[in-house]
Amino acid sequence: MKSILLSDSDDIINGLRLAGVPGVLCTDRKNLLSNFNKYKNDKHIGIIILTYSSFEMIKDEVIEVKLNQKLPLVVTIPELDGKMEDDFILKYIKESVGIKVVGD
């Protein structure tokens, strides 16, 4: 299975391309959602990688896939400046299953 990156950043796309991960530049929500829907149903794609800003644009659709499909795995990576919600995983668990996880 293959991975695909969906991002609005040429720099991130080029960086991951050096690691062997192809990417698609998605400049607006409509384009991002179109590509996300295309790759979520592609049997050859095992992982869809989204930058944090891309995830925020189509958050509801991503959570729907995570809850209802075994594959592809959808993962979120930080922006170049490291921007990503601090408690992203805890918030995702709470939104997905309605349980608040308390850290140390």
Side-chain angles (χ1 to χ4, degrees), residues 54-79:
S54 297
F55 167 75
E56 283 294 315
M57 277 194 263
I58 59 169
K59 187 176 191 175
D60 292 335
E61 291 84 355
V62 171
I63 291 173
E64 183 72 23
V65 168
K66 287 185 174 200
L67 291 174
N68 296 310
Q69 288 185 216
K70 185 176 180 178
L71 288 174
L73 176 66
V74 182
V75 296
T76 307
I77 60 172
E79 302 294 327

